[in-house]
Amino acid sequence: MRGYQARDFQASPVTGDPLLSLDRPGVIPALLLSQLVVLLPLLFYLPSWISFTVCAVLMWRLLAARQVLPLPPRWLLVLLTLAAATAVFLYFGTISGREAGVSLVAIMFSLKLLEARHYRDALLIISVSFFVMVTGFLFNQSWLMGAYLLAAVFVILACLVVVNSLRGLTGLKSMMQMSGTVLLLAIPLMMVLFVFFPRLPGPLWRLPTGQSAGSGISDQIAPGDIASLHLSDEVAFRVSFDDGAPPGNGQYWRGLVMTDFDGLAWRPGRDEAVISAPPVVAGEGLVNYEVTLEPHRQRWLFLLEKPLTGPPAARRYGDLTWQTLRPVREKLKYRASSINSLVTDPAISPGELERNLALPGSGNDRARNWARDLRSRHDNDQELVEEILSTINREEFYYTLQPPVLEEDIIDSFWFGSRRGFCEHYASALAFLVRAAGIPARLVAGYQGGEYNPYGDYWIFRQSDAHAWTEVYLAGKGWRRVDPTAAIAPFRVEQDLLTDQNRRDHWLDDMIGGQDLLELPEGVWQKLRLSLDTIDAYWDRWVLSFDNETQNGLLRALGFEQPDLRLLIWLMCGGFLLVLGVAGIGLFRRRPEGDAIARSYRVFCRKLAKSGFEKQLAEGPADFVRRVIAERPELAGRIVPVNRLYIRLRYQTEAARPEDIRRLREQVRQLNL
Amino acid sequence: MKNYWRRKFHLWIDQRLVSSHEVVLKQKNIYILPSVYGFLMAAIVILVLIAATNYQNNLAFLTGFVLISIGFLSMFYTFRNLAGLVLNAGGCSPVFAGETASFIVSLSSVKPLGHYSVGVGTSKAALHYFDMEPGTEYRVEVPQATTKRGWLTFSRVLCASRFPFGTFRVFSWQKLDARCLVYPRPIQPDDAVLARVGQGEGDSRERPGVEDYWGHRGYRPGDSKRQIDWKAYAKEQGLHSREFVESAGSSWMFRLDDFAHVDRELALSWLCYLVVHAERSNQVYGLELTGIRIDQGRGDEHLARCLQALALHP
C-alpha cells in the first residue's frame, strides 16, 4: 500500500525524551565537574588514600566518557562499594565519626557517577553534591570557604543547566550567564532567610568528634619539662572594646588560676568555690568588651584583668575566673566587663590562705632558705616581693625560649643554676619563693600583649601571646599581680624576641629559603595579615556566630519588643516574598530589544551634540549626518558606518539580530569625536 | 490512580480549552508543578537545614538558604521559558486512514527571549523537543494517528519544558484550530469485484493497472506532469507526453452502488483504491456516490476531489 501514499511522509524523530539520555555532549563532563567541585575541599581533610581513590574513580569516568576505558559492570561496582566501606571501617575503626562518615560519603558519591546512565542519576548526583558540599563545612567554616560555596553553587548550577538542556554544551556561555544571574538574585533572598530563619538553640543530637589537642594554654604549668617553646601564630581570641582599649601598656587576660604545686607542676586548685555575688566595686574605669574565642576544647574563658561581669552562661569562681559548663568546641562569643580599679574584698578564708601557702613537703631547700633569709631582712611583704624582682633584674637572669631541661629540684636549679627560662619559669619561681617566705601566692595563666588591628578596630591575641604571671596576696590589700618576667633586664632578653615585628616577619624569609627574593617595605606583610584578619573577624561576627541570641538582639534593635517564633516566620516569609517579587519583576519586565537600538542612537546623538550638532526634530537620521559631514567632512569615516548600521536596523522589515544590536552599541560606545 | 487523575485533568482541560488558530502561552494557560527532582532537591535542603541546626553550622545554613532561594527563582525561570511562546496551527496534508497525519505547528515568540528545550506533542510521551533562539521561528510536525476517514480534528497539544534547572515542570495544553482530511484506507478489491466495476458507462472492460508504454505524442495542455517525457525535454526535443496503452481508450465510472452488497466503509475503501490506481495508470475516471457525481476526468486536482468526496461521504 506504500505506493498509494499521497505524498512522502517522514515521521518526526520522536524516540522518547531526548533529555532523558546522558549521551548529549557535555553532560558527563558537567557531572564530573560538579562532583569535583564539591569533593575538592574535602580532599584536604581526608586521609590521602581516600583522596586518591576519589580522584581515581573520577578519572575512570572521564576516560570512559572518552571511550578509553569501559564502564565497570554492575558486580564490580558492588564489589568496589563494599571494599570501600570495609576499608573506611578498618582505617577509622568506625563509620559514624566525622572523618569516617565524610570519607564514606565522598567515596560513594564519586562511585555513583560510574553507574549513572539516566537523567534521574544525573539529577541525584547534582542534588547530593550540595549535601557533600555541606560536609566540607564540618571541617572549615572560614570566609574563604563561604566564597568557595558561592563559586561551587555557580558551577553546579551551570552543570544543571547543561544536564537539562537539549543541546548539551553548545550554549555554554548563555548557560553560565543564566546560572550567574540566578545566583546573583538568590544572594539577597539568602540573606533574608539567614537573618529571619527561626534558629533553634543547641544541637539536636551529638556525633562523636575527632579529638585534637588544643594548643596554647594547658591545665598545668611544669616549667622544667619544656626545652623549647613553640610560638604559634594561631589566633586564640579577638576582642573588641566598646569604648576603645583601656589605657596602659600590656593587657593581662586571665584564664586560669593555679594554686597547687607538687614540686614539678602547678595545677588549678581542687575545690574552687563558685560565687555569684559580684565583688565589691569601687573606683572608675569600667571597660566593656566582646570576646570571640576560638575553640580551645577547654572550659575556661579569658577576661581582662579585674573582671567585673562575665557571660551569664558561665560559672564565676572565687579566684575571679570564669568557666563554661562544657568545653568550647565551636567559636564562642561572649560579653564581659572589667574595671580598672576593682577592689575586691581583701578578706581571705582560712582554707584559701592555707592552699595558697602550701608547699611540697620537701625539696628545693636552697630556695626555701633563700626565702627565709629574705624574710628575716624584710618585714614588709611588698618590699620582700620587690626585692625578689630586683634580684631578677640585677643578676644574670635571661629570657629565652630554649631553656635547659630542669631536673629534680626545679626551683633550685632554675634560681641558682641555669637562670634561663620564660614566663612560666619566672612565675613559678616567684610564687614558690613568696610562699616560702610566708606570703600567699598563686600562678595565673592567660594572655598578655595582643596586637591591635586598626582596620577592624579590635585586638588579636595569638597563642604566642600566652603568658603566665604571679599573684601575691598582700594583707589588707588583697591579690596583686606581679609579673616577674617584666623584671628581666631588657638586654638579657634574646634579641629576636624583643619585638613581635621581627618574629613575625621572619617566617616569610624561611619560606623563600632565607634569601631576599622579595624585598618589601617593612610592615607590608603585617598590614596584609591584619587586613585578612579583619575579614575573618567580620565573618565571625556577622556570619559564623549568628545565632538565635544575635537574631533576637537584631529584632529588638529593629523595634520588636518581644520577638517570638511567629514574628520571625512572618518576617521571613514577608521579606522573602518581597525580594522574590522584585526579582520576578526584574525577570519579566525586560526591555524589548527595539529599545536597545533607540537607546544606542540616543547616545550617538548625544555625542554629536557635544561636538555642536543638535539633531532637529524634523530631520531624519540620514539628513542629520549629511549636515554634519557638510561642516566637518573629517568625521565622515567615523560616523557614517554607525549611522548606516542604525538605519538598517531601524528600518529593515525583519527583526534585528541580537549580534547586530550589540555591534551598534559597541560602535556607538567606541565613537570618539 | 495516576491515570484516573490524568483523565480527570484532561476532561477538565477539554472543557476549559477553546480551540483557536493562534495561542499565546501566558500566565492564564501555563501550569507549573515541581518535578520529581524538585522534590528531591527539597528533601536535600531539609536535610541540610537539619544538619545545620544540629551542628550550629552557619555555612550549612547559608547553603540551605541559597538552595531555597534558587528553588523559588527557578520557578520564574522555568515559567519564563514557556511564557510568550506563540503556537500557530499550520496546515496538514491529507492522508489515508491508518497513516499518521502530521499537523504543522509553527512557533514564534512575543518576547525577545529564546525558548529552550521545549517539547511539543500530543502527549507527554511523544514530545518533540527544540531550541528557539530569540527572534527566530520554528516549525514542528506533530504526528497524530488516524483510524477512520473524514475530518480529523487536531487533538490537544502539549507544550512542556523543564529547562533550565529541572526543578519544575511547566506545561500547557492547547487546542489548535486545525483539521486534517483523512481519505478512506485504500483496499484492493478482488477480481470478482473488479468484474462489476464501471458497468454501464465504461467502454472498456479491461482491468486497469497495466502500464504499457505506447509512445510519444505532442504535449497538450492538460496533460499530467507525470506524462511529460522529461528526458526528451532535457535533450531539447520539445515537450512530449508519453502515452500508455490503456490511457487512450479506458475511462471509468466508479459507483458506490456497484458495491451495495458490501459494508459501506469497505466499499469506500475499494473505491479509494480504484480511484488512486486509475489516476496512477493515467486513465480517465469518474465517481458516483449517493447524491454526488463527479464527472470523468484526470489529474491531481481531480483525484483530490474524488478522494475528498470519498472521505466525507456520509
Side-chain angles (χ1 to χ4, degrees), chain B residues 213-262:
Chain B
Y213 179 63
W214 175 252
H216 278 83
R217 62 167 170 76
Y219 174 79
R220 283 195 299 255
D223 281 346
S224 160
K225 278 181 208 161
R226 273 187 227 163
Q227 275 176 285
I228 294 170
D229 187 346
W230 291 110
K231 279 183 189 162
Y233 180 67
K235 290 176 196 155
E236 298 183 356
Q237 293 167 348
L239 270 178
H240 291 276
S241 292
R242 291 176 296 173
E243 280 191 306
F244 300 90
V245 68
E246 284 106 342
S247 65
S250 309
S251 83
W252 297 88
M253 182 51 92
F254 304 117
R255 290 192 199 86
L256 184 61
D257 289 347
D258 290 344
F259 308 124
H261 62 290
V262 295

Short mmCIF file of all heavy atoms in Angstrom, two decimals, chain B residues 213-262:
data_model
loop_
_atom_site.label_atom_id
_atom_site.label_comp_id
_atom_site.label_asym_id
_atom_site.label_seq_id
_atom_site.Cartn_x
_atom_site.Cartn_y
_atom_site.Cartn_z
N TYR B 213 3.74 1.10 -22.01
CA TYR B 213 4.19 2.31 -22.68
C TYR B 213 3.86 2.20 -24.14
O TYR B 213 4.16 1.19 -24.80
CB TYR B 213 5.70 2.46 -22.44
CG TYR B 213 6.30 3.66 -23.11
CD1 TYR B 213 5.90 4.94 -22.75
CD2 TYR B 213 7.25 3.50 -24.10
CE1 TYR B 213 6.45 6.04 -23.36
CE2 TYR B 213 7.80 4.61 -24.72
CZ TYR B 213 7.41 5.88 -24.35
OH TYR B 213 7.95 6.96 -24.96
N TRP B 214 3.26 3.18 -24.70
CA TRP B 214 2.80 3.12 -26.08
C TRP B 214 3.69 3.98 -26.96
O TRP B 214 4.25 3.54 -27.94
CB TRP B 214 1.34 3.56 -26.16
CG TRP B 214 0.78 3.66 -27.54
CD1 TRP B 214 0.48 4.80 -28.21
CD2 TRP B 214 0.47 2.58 -28.39
NE1 TRP B 214 -0.01 4.52 -29.44
CE2 TRP B 214 -0.03 3.14 -29.58
CE3 TRP B 214 0.55 1.18 -28.28
CZ2 TRP B 214 -0.44 2.35 -30.69
CZ3 TRP B 214 0.13 0.42 -29.37
CH2 TRP B 214 -0.35 1.00 -30.55
N GLY B 215 3.84 5.19 -26.63
CA GLY B 215 4.68 6.05 -27.46
C GLY B 215 4.50 7.50 -27.10
O GLY B 215 3.87 7.84 -26.10
N HIS B 216 5.10 8.37 -27.90
CA HIS B 216 5.06 9.81 -27.66
C HIS B 216 3.97 10.46 -28.46
O HIS B 216 3.59 10.00 -29.52
CB HIS B 216 6.38 10.44 -28.07
CG HIS B 216 7.42 10.31 -27.01
ND1 HIS B 216 8.17 9.17 -26.88
CD2 HIS B 216 7.84 11.17 -26.06
CE1 HIS B 216 9.00 9.34 -25.90
NE2 HIS B 216 8.83 10.54 -25.37
N ARG B 217 3.49 11.51 -27.96
CA ARG B 217 2.71 12.44 -28.78
C ARG B 217 3.03 13.83 -28.27
O ARG B 217 3.63 14.01 -27.20
CB ARG B 217 1.22 12.14 -28.69
CG ARG B 217 0.64 12.28 -27.30
CD ARG B 217 -0.85 12.28 -27.34
NE ARG B 217 -1.42 12.19 -26.01
CZ ARG B 217 -1.48 13.22 -25.15
NH1 ARG B 217 -0.96 14.38 -25.50
NH2 ARG B 217 -2.02 13.05 -23.97
N GLY B 218 2.66 14.82 -29.06
CA GLY B 218 2.95 16.19 -28.66
C GLY B 218 2.22 16.55 -27.37
O GLY B 218 1.16 16.01 -27.10
N TYR B 219 2.81 17.44 -26.63
CA TYR B 219 2.19 17.84 -25.36
C TYR B 219 0.94 18.64 -25.63
O TYR B 219 0.93 19.54 -26.48
CB TYR B 219 3.20 18.68 -24.57
CG TYR B 219 2.63 19.28 -23.31
CD1 TYR B 219 2.48 18.47 -22.17
CD2 TYR B 219 2.21 20.60 -23.26
CE1 TYR B 219 1.96 19.01 -21.02
CE2 TYR B 219 1.68 21.14 -22.11
CZ TYR B 219 1.55 20.33 -20.98
OH TYR B 219 1.02 20.86 -19.83
N ARG B 220 -0.12 18.26 -24.93
CA ARG B 220 -1.34 19.05 -24.99
C ARG B 220 -1.59 19.62 -23.61
O ARG B 220 -1.41 18.93 -22.61
CB ARG B 220 -2.51 18.15 -25.41
CG ARG B 220 -2.55 17.82 -26.87
CD ARG B 220 -3.92 17.24 -27.23
NE ARG B 220 -4.20 16.00 -26.50
CZ ARG B 220 -4.15 14.80 -27.07
NH1 ARG B 220 -3.85 14.66 -28.36
NH2 ARG B 220 -4.41 13.72 -26.36
N PRO B 221 -2.02 20.88 -23.59
CA PRO B 221 -2.32 21.45 -22.27
C PRO B 221 -3.34 20.55 -21.56
O PRO B 221 -4.28 20.09 -22.18
CB PRO B 221 -2.91 22.83 -22.59
CG PRO B 221 -2.43 23.16 -23.95
CD PRO B 221 -2.22 21.87 -24.68
N GLY B 222 -3.09 20.33 -20.31
CA GLY B 222 -3.99 19.46 -19.55
C GLY B 222 -3.37 18.11 -19.28
O GLY B 222 -3.84 17.38 -18.44
N ASP B 223 -2.31 17.79 -20.00
CA ASP B 223 -1.64 16.52 -19.73
C ASP B 223 -0.99 16.55 -18.35
O ASP B 223 -0.51 17.58 -17.90
CB ASP B 223 -0.54 16.26 -20.77
CG ASP B 223 -1.15 15.76 -22.07
OD1 ASP B 223 -2.33 15.37 -22.04
OD2 ASP B 223 -0.43 15.76 -23.08
N SER B 224 -0.99 15.41 -17.73
CA SER B 224 -0.39 15.34 -16.40
C SER B 224 1.11 15.56 -16.50
O SER B 224 1.74 15.19 -17.50
CB SER B 224 -0.68 13.97 -15.79
OG SER B 224 0.23 13.73 -14.76
N LYS B 225 1.64 16.14 -15.47
CA LYS B 225 3.08 16.37 -15.45
C LYS B 225 3.84 15.04 -15.51
O LYS B 225 4.94 14.95 -16.02
CB LYS B 225 3.49 17.11 -14.17
CG LYS B 225 3.29 18.60 -14.24
CD LYS B 225 3.75 19.22 -12.95
CE LYS B 225 2.99 20.52 -12.67
NZ LYS B 225 3.08 20.89 -11.26
N ARG B 226 3.21 14.05 -14.96
CA ARG B 226 3.87 12.75 -14.94
C ARG B 226 4.04 12.16 -16.33
O ARG B 226 4.90 11.33 -16.57
CB ARG B 226 3.03 11.77 -14.11
CG ARG B 226 3.36 11.83 -12.66
CD ARG B 226 2.61 10.73 -11.97
NE ARG B 226 1.98 11.28 -10.79
CZ ARG B 226 0.99 10.67 -10.14
NH1 ARG B 226 0.52 9.53 -10.58
NH2 ARG B 226 0.47 11.22 -9.09
N GLN B 227 3.13 12.62 -17.23
CA GLN B 227 3.19 12.07 -18.58
C GLN B 227 4.32 12.67 -19.39
O GLN B 227 4.74 12.12 -20.38
CB GLN B 227 1.87 12.35 -19.30
CG GLN B 227 0.82 11.30 -19.00
CD GLN B 227 -0.46 11.69 -19.66
OE1 GLN B 227 -1.16 12.58 -19.22
NE2 GLN B 227 -0.77 11.03 -20.78
N ILE B 228 4.76 13.82 -19.00
CA ILE B 228 5.75 14.53 -19.81
C ILE B 228 7.05 13.75 -19.83
O ILE B 228 7.52 13.23 -18.81
CB ILE B 228 6.00 15.94 -19.25
CG1 ILE B 228 4.72 16.78 -19.40
CG2 ILE B 228 7.16 16.61 -19.94
CD1 ILE B 228 4.75 18.09 -18.67
N ASP B 229 7.59 13.65 -20.98
CA ASP B 229 8.85 12.94 -21.13
C ASP B 229 9.97 13.93 -20.84
O ASP B 229 10.40 14.68 -21.71
CB ASP B 229 8.96 12.38 -22.55
CG ASP B 229 10.17 11.49 -22.70
OD1 ASP B 229 11.04 11.54 -21.80
OD2 ASP B 229 10.25 10.77 -23.70
N TRP B 230 10.39 13.95 -19.63
CA TRP B 230 11.37 14.98 -19.22
C TRP B 230 12.73 14.73 -19.83
O TRP B 230 13.48 15.68 -20.07
CB TRP B 230 11.48 14.98 -17.69
CG TRP B 230 10.22 15.49 -17.04
CD1 TRP B 230 9.34 14.75 -16.33
CD2 TRP B 230 9.71 16.82 -17.08
NE1 TRP B 230 8.30 15.53 -15.91
CE2 TRP B 230 8.49 16.82 -16.37
CE3 TRP B 230 10.14 18.02 -17.69
CZ2 TRP B 230 7.72 17.96 -16.21
CZ3 TRP B 230 9.36 19.14 -17.52
CH2 TRP B 230 8.17 19.11 -16.78
N LYS B 231 13.01 13.45 -20.11
CA LYS B 231 14.31 13.16 -20.74
C LYS B 231 14.40 13.80 -22.10
O LYS B 231 15.41 14.42 -22.46
CB LYS B 231 14.50 11.66 -20.86
CG LYS B 231 14.98 11.03 -19.57
CD LYS B 231 15.21 9.57 -19.78
CE LYS B 231 15.49 8.90 -18.43
NZ LYS B 231 15.29 7.46 -18.53
N ALA B 232 13.28 13.69 -22.84
CA ALA B 232 13.26 14.29 -24.15
C ALA B 232 13.35 15.80 -24.05
O ALA B 232 14.06 16.46 -24.82
CB ALA B 232 11.98 13.88 -24.88
N TYR B 233 12.68 16.33 -23.06
CA TYR B 233 12.68 17.79 -22.86
C TYR B 233 14.10 18.25 -22.57
O TYR B 233 14.56 19.27 -23.07
CB TYR B 233 11.75 18.12 -21.70
CG TYR B 233 11.67 19.61 -21.41
CD1 TYR B 233 11.09 20.46 -22.35
CD2 TYR B 233 12.17 20.14 -20.22
CE1 TYR B 233 11.01 21.82 -22.08
CE2 TYR B 233 12.10 21.49 -19.96
CZ TYR B 233 11.51 22.34 -20.89
OH TYR B 233 11.44 23.66 -20.63
N ALA B 234 14.78 17.44 -21.75
CA ALA B 234 16.15 17.80 -21.39
C ALA B 234 17.05 17.79 -22.61
O ALA B 234 18.03 18.52 -22.68
CB ALA B 234 16.67 16.82 -20.33
N LYS B 235 16.72 16.91 -23.56
CA LYS B 235 17.53 16.88 -24.79
C LYS B 235 17.09 17.94 -25.79
O LYS B 235 17.46 17.90 -26.96
CB LYS B 235 17.39 15.50 -25.45
CG LYS B 235 18.10 14.39 -24.65
CD LYS B 235 17.85 13.05 -25.32
CE LYS B 235 18.20 11.91 -24.37
NZ LYS B 235 17.44 10.69 -24.73
N GLU B 236 16.28 18.86 -25.32
CA GLU B 236 15.77 19.97 -26.12
C GLU B 236 15.03 19.49 -27.35
O GLU B 236 15.17 20.01 -28.45
CB GLU B 236 16.92 20.92 -26.50
CG GLU B 236 17.56 21.53 -25.26
CD GLU B 236 18.65 22.53 -25.61
OE1 GLU B 236 18.94 22.67 -26.80
OE2 GLU B 236 19.14 23.17 -24.68
N GLN B 237 14.24 18.42 -27.16
CA GLN B 237 13.43 17.94 -28.27
C GLN B 237 12.00 18.45 -28.16
O GLN B 237 11.12 18.02 -28.88
CB GLN B 237 13.42 16.41 -28.28
CG GLN B 237 14.79 15.82 -28.61
CD GLN B 237 14.87 14.34 -28.31
OE1 GLN B 237 13.98 13.78 -27.66
NE2 GLN B 237 15.94 13.71 -28.79
N GLY B 238 11.77 19.34 -27.24
CA GLY B 238 10.43 19.88 -27.08
C GLY B 238 9.63 19.06 -26.10
O GLY B 238 10.07 18.01 -25.62
N LEU B 239 8.46 19.54 -25.79
CA LEU B 239 7.63 18.86 -24.82
C LEU B 239 6.85 17.74 -25.48
O LEU B 239 6.17 17.94 -26.48
CB LEU B 239 6.65 19.86 -24.19
CG LEU B 239 7.13 20.59 -22.94
CD1 LEU B 239 6.07 21.56 -22.48
CD2 LEU B 239 7.48 19.62 -21.84
N HIS B 240 6.97 16.59 -24.90
CA HIS B 240 6.21 15.45 -25.38
C HIS B 240 5.57 14.75 -24.23
O HIS B 240 6.12 14.72 -23.14
CB HIS B 240 7.15 14.47 -26.13
CG HIS B 240 7.65 15.03 -27.41
ND1 HIS B 240 6.96 14.98 -28.59
CD2 HIS B 240 8.83 15.65 -27.70
CE1 HIS B 240 7.66 15.56 -29.55
NE2 HIS B 240 8.81 16.00 -29.02
N SER B 241 4.45 14.18 -24.47
CA SER B 241 3.82 13.38 -23.44
C SER B 241 3.97 11.92 -23.81
O SER B 241 3.88 11.54 -24.98
CB SER B 241 2.34 13.71 -23.31
OG SER B 241 2.20 15.01 -22.82
N ARG B 242 4.20 11.13 -22.76
CA ARG B 242 4.25 9.69 -23.02
C ARG B 242 2.83 9.17 -22.96
O ARG B 242 2.02 9.65 -22.18
CB ARG B 242 5.11 9.02 -21.96
CG ARG B 242 6.57 9.38 -22.10
CD ARG B 242 7.35 8.76 -20.98
NE ARG B 242 6.93 9.31 -19.70
CZ ARG B 242 7.38 8.84 -18.55
NH1 ARG B 242 8.20 7.83 -18.52
NH2 ARG B 242 6.96 9.37 -17.43
N GLU B 243 2.54 8.17 -23.79
CA GLU B 243 1.20 7.60 -23.75
C GLU B 243 1.29 6.15 -23.33
O GLU B 243 2.23 5.44 -23.65
CB GLU B 243 0.54 7.71 -25.12
CG GLU B 243 -0.01 9.10 -25.37
CD GLU B 243 -0.87 9.13 -26.61
OE1 GLU B 243 -0.40 8.71 -27.68
OE2 GLU B 243 -2.01 9.56 -26.50
N PHE B 244 0.28 5.76 -22.56
CA PHE B 244 0.21 4.36 -22.15
C PHE B 244 -0.93 3.70 -22.87
O PHE B 244 -1.88 4.36 -23.27
CB PHE B 244 0.04 4.28 -20.63
CG PHE B 244 1.19 4.94 -19.90
CD1 PHE B 244 1.16 6.28 -19.57
CD2 PHE B 244 2.31 4.18 -19.60
CE1 PHE B 244 2.21 6.86 -18.92
CE2 PHE B 244 3.36 4.78 -18.95
CZ PHE B 244 3.33 6.12 -18.62
N VAL B 245 -0.84 2.41 -22.96
CA VAL B 245 -1.75 1.73 -23.86
C VAL B 245 -3.20 1.92 -23.50
O VAL B 245 -4.03 2.20 -24.34
CB VAL B 245 -1.38 0.24 -24.00
CG1 VAL B 245 -1.62 -0.52 -22.69
CG2 VAL B 245 -2.15 -0.42 -25.14
N GLU B 246 -3.52 1.85 -22.19
CA GLU B 246 -4.92 1.96 -21.85
C GLU B 246 -5.42 3.39 -21.85
O GLU B 246 -6.59 3.62 -21.97
CB GLU B 246 -5.19 1.36 -20.45
CG GLU B 246 -5.19 -0.12 -20.43
CD GLU B 246 -3.94 -0.62 -19.78
OE1 GLU B 246 -2.98 0.20 -19.71
OE2 GLU B 246 -3.90 -1.77 -19.37
N SER B 247 -4.48 4.28 -21.63
CA SER B 247 -4.92 5.62 -21.34
C SER B 247 -5.76 6.20 -22.46
O SER B 247 -6.61 7.04 -22.22
CB SER B 247 -3.72 6.51 -21.06
OG SER B 247 -2.96 6.61 -22.24
N ALA B 248 -5.54 5.73 -23.65
CA ALA B 248 -6.30 6.30 -24.75
C ALA B 248 -7.76 5.90 -24.67
O ALA B 248 -8.65 6.74 -24.69
CB ALA B 248 -5.71 5.86 -26.08
N GLY B 249 -7.94 4.62 -24.39
CA GLY B 249 -9.30 4.14 -24.52
C GLY B 249 -10.06 3.99 -23.22
O GLY B 249 -11.27 4.14 -23.20
N SER B 250 -9.31 3.73 -22.07
CA SER B 250 -10.03 3.38 -20.87
C SER B 250 -10.63 4.59 -20.21
O SER B 250 -9.96 5.60 -20.03
CB SER B 250 -9.08 2.73 -19.87
OG SER B 250 -8.38 1.70 -20.52
N SER B 251 -11.82 4.49 -19.85
CA SER B 251 -12.42 5.51 -19.00
C SER B 251 -13.38 4.79 -18.09
O SER B 251 -14.00 3.81 -18.48
CB SER B 251 -13.13 6.55 -19.85
OG SER B 251 -14.41 6.13 -20.20
N TRP B 252 -13.40 5.28 -16.86
CA TRP B 252 -14.12 4.54 -15.83
C TRP B 252 -15.12 5.42 -15.12
O TRP B 252 -14.94 6.62 -14.99
CB TRP B 252 -13.13 4.01 -14.78
CG TRP B 252 -12.15 3.03 -15.37
CD1 TRP B 252 -10.97 3.33 -15.92
CD2 TRP B 252 -12.31 1.65 -15.45
NE1 TRP B 252 -10.34 2.22 -16.37
CE2 TRP B 252 -11.16 1.13 -16.08
CE3 TRP B 252 -13.33 0.74 -15.10
CZ2 TRP B 252 -10.96 -0.21 -16.35
CZ3 TRP B 252 -13.10 -0.59 -15.35
CH2 TRP B 252 -11.94 -1.07 -15.96
N MET B 253 -16.12 4.77 -14.68
CA MET B 253 -17.06 5.46 -13.80
C MET B 253 -17.29 4.52 -12.63
O MET B 253 -17.88 3.46 -12.77
CB MET B 253 -18.38 5.75 -14.53
CG MET B 253 -19.36 6.50 -13.67
SD MET B 253 -18.65 7.97 -12.90
CE MET B 253 -19.03 9.23 -14.08
N PHE B 254 -16.69 4.91 -11.47
CA PHE B 254 -16.83 4.06 -10.29
C PHE B 254 -18.07 4.49 -9.52
O PHE B 254 -18.28 5.67 -9.28
CB PHE B 254 -15.60 4.20 -9.37
CG PHE B 254 -14.30 3.89 -10.10
CD1 PHE B 254 -13.33 4.87 -10.26
CD2 PHE B 254 -14.07 2.61 -10.60
CE1 PHE B 254 -12.15 4.57 -10.92
CE2 PHE B 254 -12.89 2.33 -11.26
CZ PHE B 254 -11.91 3.30 -11.43
N ARG B 255 -18.87 3.50 -9.17
CA ARG B 255 -20.12 3.81 -8.47
C ARG B 255 -20.16 3.08 -7.15
O ARG B 255 -19.84 1.89 -7.07
CB ARG B 255 -21.31 3.38 -9.31
CG ARG B 255 -21.51 4.21 -10.54
CD ARG B 255 -22.88 3.90 -11.16
NE ARG B 255 -22.88 4.33 -12.53
CZ ARG B 255 -22.44 3.59 -13.54
NH1 ARG B 255 -22.00 2.35 -13.30
NH2 ARG B 255 -22.46 4.03 -14.77
N LEU B 256 -20.64 3.81 -6.19
CA LEU B 256 -20.81 3.19 -4.87
C LEU B 256 -21.86 2.10 -4.94
O LEU B 256 -21.77 1.06 -4.30
CB LEU B 256 -21.19 4.25 -3.84
CG LEU B 256 -21.30 3.78 -2.40
CD1 LEU B 256 -19.97 3.23 -1.90
CD2 LEU B 256 -21.77 4.91 -1.50
N ASP B 257 -22.86 2.34 -5.80
CA ASP B 257 -23.97 1.39 -5.90
C ASP B 257 -23.52 0.02 -6.36
O ASP B 257 -24.15 -0.98 -6.06
CB ASP B 257 -25.01 1.92 -6.88
CG ASP B 257 -25.75 3.12 -6.31
OD1 ASP B 257 -25.59 3.32 -5.06
OD2 ASP B 257 -26.42 3.83 -7.04
N ASP B 258 -22.39 0.00 -7.10
CA ASP B 258 -21.88 -1.29 -7.57
C ASP B 258 -21.52 -2.20 -6.41
O ASP B 258 -21.50 -3.41 -6.54
CB ASP B 258 -20.63 -1.09 -8.42
CG ASP B 258 -20.99 -0.44 -9.75
OD1 ASP B 258 -22.19 -0.44 -10.09
OD2 ASP B 258 -20.08 0.08 -10.42
N PHE B 259 -21.19 -1.57 -5.30
CA PHE B 259 -20.76 -2.38 -4.15
C PHE B 259 -21.79 -2.34 -3.03
O PHE B 259 -21.46 -2.39 -1.86
CB PHE B 259 -19.41 -1.88 -3.61
CG PHE B 259 -18.36 -1.78 -4.68
CD1 PHE B 259 -17.71 -0.59 -4.92
CD2 PHE B 259 -18.05 -2.90 -5.44
CE1 PHE B 259 -16.74 -0.50 -5.89
CE2 PHE B 259 -17.06 -2.80 -6.43
CZ PHE B 259 -16.42 -1.61 -6.66
N ALA B 260 -23.01 -2.19 -3.44
CA ALA B 260 -24.07 -2.04 -2.43
C ALA B 260 -24.17 -3.25 -1.54
O ALA B 260 -24.68 -3.17 -0.42
CB ALA B 260 -25.41 -1.76 -3.10
N HIS B 261 -23.65 -4.37 -2.04
CA HIS B 261 -23.81 -5.60 -1.27
C HIS B 261 -22.82 -5.71 -0.12
O HIS B 261 -22.96 -6.57 0.72
CB HIS B 261 -23.64 -6.81 -2.19
CG HIS B 261 -22.26 -6.88 -2.79
ND1 HIS B 261 -21.83 -5.97 -3.74
CD2 HIS B 261 -21.23 -7.72 -2.56
CE1 HIS B 261 -20.59 -6.26 -4.07
NE2 HIS B 261 -20.20 -7.32 -3.38
N VAL B 262 -21.80 -4.89 -0.12
CA VAL B 262 -20.83 -4.99 0.99
C VAL B 262 -20.96 -3.81 1.93
O VAL B 262 -21.69 -2.85 1.67
CB VAL B 262 -19.36 -5.07 0.47
CG1 VAL B 262 -19.15 -6.34 -0.30
CG2 VAL B 262 -19.01 -3.83 -0.32
#
